[in-house]
Amino acid sequence: MCGILACLLSTDDGPEMRARVLALSRRQRHRGPDWSGMFQWKNCFLAHERLAIIDPASGDQPLFNEDKSVSVCVNGEIYNYKALREQILAKHPNKKFATDSDCEVISHLYEDHGEAVAGMLDGMFSFVILDTRDGSFYAARDPIGITSLYIGWGKDGSVWVASEMKCIKDECLKFQQFPPGHYYSSKTMSFTRYYNPQFYLEFEASPPQCPSTPYDAKVLREAFEAAVVKRMMSDVPFGVLLSGGLDSSLVAAIASRAIKSSDSVWGNRLHSFCVGLPGSPDLKAGREVADFLGTDHHEFTFTVQEGIDAISDVIQHIETYDVTTIRASTPMFLMSRKIKALGVKMVLSGEGSDEVFGGYLYFHKAPNREEFFQETVRKVQALYQFDCLRANKSTMAWGVEARVPFLDRQFLNVAMAIDPAEKMINKAEGRMEKYILRKAFDTPENPYLPAHVLWRQKEQFSDGVGYSWIDGLKDHANNVVSDQMLAAAQHRYLDNTPRTKEAYFYRSIFESHFPQKAAADTVPGGPSVACSTATAALWDAAWAGCEDPSGRAVAGVHDSAYEKPAAN
């Protein structure tokens, strides 16, 4: 991944504006410490901060088509780039590629297919194309929003696109998150959704429809194995984030098998990484899985005070005040710094499984298959605001790229087509959360994981790193936010008013970094917590008004649930 910044249709095309764009791009140089690039055509500027993963020697950006009439800045990885190259060369046998970068195909595809290009890509990406043939531009973001992207509009009529909000917040009267699965064209000055999978169409139908494909363990297992192996494409050292939970352990198991049977220049032993407070559940579980798989395992610990000390930096990097996201981002932020110090640039991670399979503990209360399905689609569509944002920005704060196989386009087609009745949780029948995923990898004759790991109850990342982490955050917020301050929150924060002292604490730090109202508006309303969503409250009235995002707050479901919900 990298950092991109585009200033398009500016009224200023002079050297001062070029210098300004370069200065703004430097705000996200942590995303791409390996090289910086700039291309200017008249009053349009493309800037790039590169993290070199594929073709580190010659893949600097911006990239161009053969006659350099089409330029592109890309953040991400295109996994089907070799097949796309073959397709291009079959049509244009004399075509010359300037680099071995996976991203160069985008400029050549745009020549042939125009605005259909985004839908042809299999990967995680956000990019801006500048077409000097007619002065048009085109920007797009991957289907789920794994890569971060923002768009804004300046008072002079300029359009700004950037990987991080901090690059454009001072230049734009209005800015927002770029919607996933969409492209924006200067020809219409509007967004178009290009990603329209079957499960979206079923979700949006009137009346809503429900998938009905029978569950096939082999099909699901092979689809996920392909998604993991696809993401091992790298010209630099890589590893896997391993908390010892189901999702990260499955990713690690598949990657470990694949690397042992490959001729990778990085050897045949996978590196794995885990973070937690001393004695935390994740450290113990991660170590056990690493021993089983035979990975080269690295454990990192932090104290509650070290985490609290990092909160301001975390919020400045992840650009949100959402409680759950900050809780989970902080350990990931600290771990990523250690990972980068070891010389690793890319990691595989397990985000997305809970949304696809209904793994959050409140799904225990789903009343029927239709509502279960509807909620999984809503969760997938919101990933870019929460878990994808966390995984992308917490790691890229230190120039480490996180790849998420559970959000593979082909895997989603398989997993979201399964009859949701198969995903529903029924303790009486022994069907716990994510039962069908666990069952698909329950192969005793050739086990992927120890049985008790495969069937371990879900922990939210912020819980698993150590229960005292969340308790410590609450205690700190109680000490720095008075009752009077919280009572007056509705007057200070008119939109998305914080309802707990912890939320108030994060919001005040966010405001110190991003005082613009448009910045606050990029964060969705209310906490991203399972137990306080409207859906959860409808499924179980006992959860109405619950403000605690921890999985332990789900009384009667989590094995370590609080006896009483905490007030702050």
Side-chain angles (χ1 to χ4, degrees), residues 477-556:
N478 282 334
N479 290 331
V480 298
V481 178
S482 68
D483 293 342
Q484 184 178 358
M485 292 166 67
L486 184 61
Q490 61 183 321
H491 305 297
R492 180 175 177 181
Y493 304 112
L494 301 181
D495 299 315
N496 293 349
T497 304
R499 297 190 293 269
T500 70
K501 290 183 178 181
E502 187 184 3
Y504 188 103
F505 173 56
Y506 299 149
R507 182 66 177 272
S508 62
I509 296 174
F510 178 88
E511 188 181 61
S512 71
H513 292 298
F514 306 101
Q516 299 86 353
K517 182 181 183 303
D521 291 343
T522 65
V523 181
S528 65
V529 300
C531 59
S532 66
T533 60
T535 301
L538 287 172
W539 290 350
D540 189 336
W543 290 347
C546 177
E547 300 294 347
D548 192 335
S550 171
R552 290 184 294 155
V554 186

Side-chain angles (χ1 to χ4, degrees), residues 319-339:
E319 303 179 321
T320 186
Y321 49 83
D322 177 71
V323 170
T324 308
T325 306
I326 294 167
R327 286 180 175 182
S329 292
T330 304
M332 200 170 194
F333 173 87
L334 296 172
M335 174 172 57
S336 297
R337 188 175 191 179
K338 295 281 192 177
I339 291 172

